[in-house]
């Protein structure tokens, strides 16, 4: 059993380094609403600039948090905890046992009381009291274990940004993901949870009952769930659930909701290769036809020992998508094969009003020492969802496990934020860094 899908379970884990782009895109904010339900969004493109003629050879990377081991950033996410309509940044650092809230860039707020190894946050008004709380997936330990150390923790806001700690789920295997939505349409907020575990685990949804109690419903009693994202797959206005399942299964699942929290399970994709090495999913309307598609990354480099001799990981790992026909029926389509494919972010990179893709890899040279390293690429969409690869470079290690797009300085242009996941516990890269697309330097 491999090591937690190379921490793929730790994040929506998306990395982008953009050396050729000018864009201002309204991204779906899965962490700032009362639920993380994904809905189609509109893109807002600013005037593109041909960055190939920009005269800038290297982007300036700025560290936003004080560096120093360990650099194990598992998730960077936007969310509006203040409740004023403007998002802030939340950084999960499991081996530090903390979440960093960048309410003010000069004075980050450390949230650690009651947390062990938080790997992911979701900002949501779970108790519907009018202020936002912090829902935390606390894995308990990053390392492969069947210990019942996973928890779902709520940092409950008293309205003045003082937080009490309430444990909503405990004594389970390692928890990778917790996302909120009203699954049973009863007016309160429920929670979907990935108990990644190790040899045992499960996917559950937690139904909110009276007096802020939660009742667990098991959707799938297998380990290895990385992401469980609420969305309306079929346009019937109830909340379904897309799940990426790794370990020995390598599946993308759809739990289709009847509107009352009764789910039927469908397998949207299944690989017959244990070395497929799922690293996660991302929801986005890639073909801009008004429904939600599912992007799939696979490239867990730490399951290298499962790849048969003579098999090139560049022919196995990569990026694909499941195209939604609008009725919640999905067709598998390959995009590219590249070893170590880890996370993807949809963006209109070249300003031509279609959705391109930026893909990060987790390519550890000690795993495949003869393989060429390429930490980031962007994939140019021809408008028909056929993609052309462009390699891009950035002066950070190829260990960035999470990315976010955010206007840090309020100048109307977005920065790219990333954080290094140095699984050795060292100080490679940066805990949190940012860089501007080249257009911001023009």
């Amino acid at each position: 059993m491999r090591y937690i899908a190379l921490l793929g379970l730790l994040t929506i884990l998306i990395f982008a380094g953009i050396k050729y782009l000018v864009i201002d895109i309204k991204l779906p904010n899965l962490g700032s609403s009362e639920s993380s339900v994904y809905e189609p969004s509109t893109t807002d493109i600013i005037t593109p600039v041909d960055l190939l003629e920009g005269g800038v050879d290297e982007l300036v990377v700025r560290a936003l948090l004080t560096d120093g081991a360990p650099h194990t950033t598992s998730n960077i996410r936007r969310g509006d905890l203040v409740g004023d309509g403007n998002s802030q940044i939340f950084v999960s650092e499991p081996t530090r046992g903390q979440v960093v809230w960048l309410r003010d860039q000069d004075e980050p707020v450390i949230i650690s009381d009651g947390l062990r190894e938080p790997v992911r946050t979701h900002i949501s008004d779970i108790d519907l009291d009018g202020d936002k709380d912090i829902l935390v997936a606390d894995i308990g330990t990053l390392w492969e274990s069947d210990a019942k150390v996973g928890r779902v923790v709520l940092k409950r806001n008293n309205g003045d940004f003082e937080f009490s700690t309430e444990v909503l789920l405990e004594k389970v295997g390692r928890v990778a993901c917790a996302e909120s939505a009203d699954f049973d349409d009863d007016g309160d907020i429920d929670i979907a949870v990935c108990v990644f575990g190790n040899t045992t685990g499960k996917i559950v949804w937690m139904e909110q009952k009276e007096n802020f109690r939660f009742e667990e419903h098991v959707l799938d009693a297998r380990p290895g769930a990385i992401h469980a994202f609420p969305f309306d797959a079929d346009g019937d206005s109830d909340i379904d659930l897309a799940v990426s399942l790794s370990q020995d299964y390598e599946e993308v699942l759809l739990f289709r909701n009847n509107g009352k929290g009764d789910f039927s399970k469908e397998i949207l994709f299944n690989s017959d290769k244990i070395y497929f090495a799922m690293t996660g999913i991302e929801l986005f309307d890639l073909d801009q036809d008004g429904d939600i598609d599912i992007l799939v990354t696979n490239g867990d480099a730490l399951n290298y020992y499962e790849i048969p001799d003579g098999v090139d990981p560049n022919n196995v790992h990569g990026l694909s998508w499941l195209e939604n026909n609008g009725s919640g029926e999905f067709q598998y389509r390959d995009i590219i094969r590249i070893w170590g494919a880890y996370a993807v972010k949809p963006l209109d990179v070249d300003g031509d009003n279609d959705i391109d893709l930026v893909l990060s890899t987790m390519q550890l040279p000690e795993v495949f020492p003869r393989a060429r390293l390429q930490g980031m690429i962007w994939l140019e969409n021809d408008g028909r969802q056929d993609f052309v690869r462009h390699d891009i470079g950035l002066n950070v290690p190829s260990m960035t496990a999470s990315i976010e797009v955010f206007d840090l300085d309020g100048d109307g242009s977005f920065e790219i934020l990333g954080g290094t996941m140095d699984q050795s516990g060292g100080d490679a890269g940066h805990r949190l860094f940012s860089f501007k697309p080249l257009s911001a330097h023009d």
Side-chain angles (χ1 to χ4, degrees):
M1 194 69 64
R2 65 180 180 266
Y3 164 57
I4 60 174
L6 189 57
L7 305 170
L9 58 84
L10 300 185
T11 105
I12 290 184
L13 297 177
I14 300 160
F15 183 79
I18 296 156
K19 195 172 181 178
Y20 310 105
L21 83 97
V22 185
I23 115 170
D24 182 353
I25 185 168
K26 292 180 179 177
L27 297 175
N29 188 346
L30 299 183
S32 64
S33 61
E34 291 180 352
S35 86
S36 60
V37 178
Y38 190 101
E39 297 178 352
S41 62
T42 58
T43 56
D44 189 13
I45 308 300
I46 64 173
T47 304
V49 175
D50 185 357
L51 296 180
L52 295 176
E53 299 177 359
V56 180
D57 294 325
E58 187 173 289
L59 298 175
V60 176
V61 174
R62 182 165 64 104
L64 300 178
L65 295 175
T66 301
D67 283 332
H71 291 180
T72 52
T73 298
S74 62
N75 186 243
I76 303 165
R77 193 167 190 184
R78 295 190 300 169
D80 180 15
L81 185 59
V82 175
D84 62 358
N86 298 307
S87 293
Q88 306 94 51
I89 292 295
F90 297 82
V91 183
S92 298
E93 298 184 289
T95 57
R96 290 175 179 259
Q98 65 186 29
V99 172
V100 181
W101 174 26
L102 267 71
R103 182 178 185 179
D104 184 329
Q105 293 178 52
D106 296 326
E107 296 183 9
V109 178
I110 304 299
I111 299 169
S112 60
D113 288 348
L115 302 180
R116 295 173 183 164
E117 295 199 17
V119 293
R120 182 180 174 84
T121 60
H122 177 212
I123 307 305
S124 175
D125 185 4
I126 299 291
D127 52 12
L128 297 180
D129 64 352
D131 49 50
K132 300 293 182 67
D133 311 298
I134 308 173
L135 185 65
V136 181
D138 193 324
I139 198 170
T141 177
L142 289 178
W143 298 101
E144 187 175 275
S145 173
D146 277 314
K148 305 303 183 185
V149 293
R151 301 184 303 161
V152 175
V153 179
L154 183 66
K155 300 298 291 184
R156 197 170 186 177
N157 188 353
N158 72 353
D160 294 321
F161 308 111
E162 295 180 1
F163 301 93
S164 61
T165 301
E166 299 189 24
V167 179
L168 306 183
L169 180 67
E170 62 181 335
K171 298 179 181 179
V172 296
R174 297 175 302 158
V175 172
C177 181
E179 300 287 311
S180 68
D182 184 3
F183 290 112
D184 50 5
D185 195 28
D186 64 352
D188 57 30
I189 304 301
D190 312 302
I191 305 170
V193 181
C194 294
V195 181
F196 185 95
N198 182 34
T199 61
T200 61
K202 56 188 174 181
I203 305 159
V204 304
W205 76 278
M206 298 166 57
E207 179 184 1
Q208 187 173 159
K209 310 292 282 187
E210 293 182 359
N211 301 317
F212 207 62
R213 295 180 300 105
F214 288 84
E215 180 179 324
E216 179 182 321
H217 301 275
V218 177
L219 297 173
D220 194 309
R222 294 179 292 171
I226 302 170
H227 296 143
F229 294 151
F231 77 123
D232 184 2
D234 45 18
D236 62 357
S237 299
D238 53 43
I239 306 305
D240 310 302
L241 198 62
V243 174
S244 54
L245 191 66
S246 63
Q247 297 288 69
D248 295 335
Y249 307 105
E250 307 300 336
E251 295 177 351
V252 177
L253 305 173
L254 174 65
F255 291 92
R256 199 182 297 270
N257 193 350
N258 71 352
K260 298 301 180 182
D262 295 321
F263 293 88
S264 58
K265 181 172 71 175
E266 302 173 19
I267 299 175
L268 302 182
F269 169 81
N270 173 261
S271 174
D272 59 0
K273 300 177 178 64
I274 190 174
Y275 53 89
F276 182 78
M278 183 83 68
T279 49
I281 56 175
E282 171 79 355
L283 306 186
F284 202 87
D285 183 5
L286 183 60
D287 51 7
Q288 300 183 87
D289 63 353
D291 55 42
I292 303 305
D293 310 301
I294 304 173
L295 291 153
V296 182
T297 52
N298 67 295
D300 175 8
L302 286 184
N303 81 329
Y304 65 93
Y305 55 86
E306 294 174 343
I307 297 180
D309 290 342
V311 175
D312 185 345
N314 280 296
N315 295 329
V316 178
H317 295 171
L319 172 66
S320 53
W321 68 297
L322 299 171
E323 181 183 0
N324 191 343
N325 70 355
S327 300
E329 297 175 354
F330 293 82
Q331 182 173 355
Y332 175 87
R333 299 188 185 280
D334 191 45
I335 295 176
I336 193 170
R337 297 294 97 194
I338 178 173
W339 82 276
Y342 200 77
V344 64
K345 177 67 84 175
L347 300 166
D348 185 1
V349 171
D350 48 12
D352 62 355
N353 295 315
D354 55 33
I355 303 301
D356 310 301
L357 300 168
V358 181
L359 177 70
S360 74
T361 64
M362 292 286 282
Q363 295 180 337
L364 308 179
E366 61 270 25
V367 172
F368 297 110
R370 294 185 299 274
R372 174 178 175 266
L373 298 180
Q374 179 59 51
M376 288 157 282
I377 63 174
W378 76 274
L379 299 162
E380 181 182 359
N381 191 342
D382 68 355
R384 298 182 297 274
Q385 287 62 250
D386 293 320
F387 294 86
V388 176
R389 169 177 169 167
H390 301 273
D391 291 356
I392 51 182
L394 193 66
N395 188 24
V396 294
S398 59
M399 295 185 290
T400 303
S402 184
I403 190 163
E404 187 55 276
V405 180
F406 192 72
D407 183 4
L408 279 171
D409 51 16
D411 66 353
S413 63
F414 280 89
E415 289 83 14
I416 309 299
L417 278 62
T420 300
M421 170 51 76
D422 183 349
Q423 71 278 2
S424 72
D427 61 357
H430 304 286
R431 294 168 59 201
L432 180 67
F433 64 84
S434 72
F435 63 92
K436 281 183 176 291
L438 287 183
S439 60
H441 300 277
D442 294 344

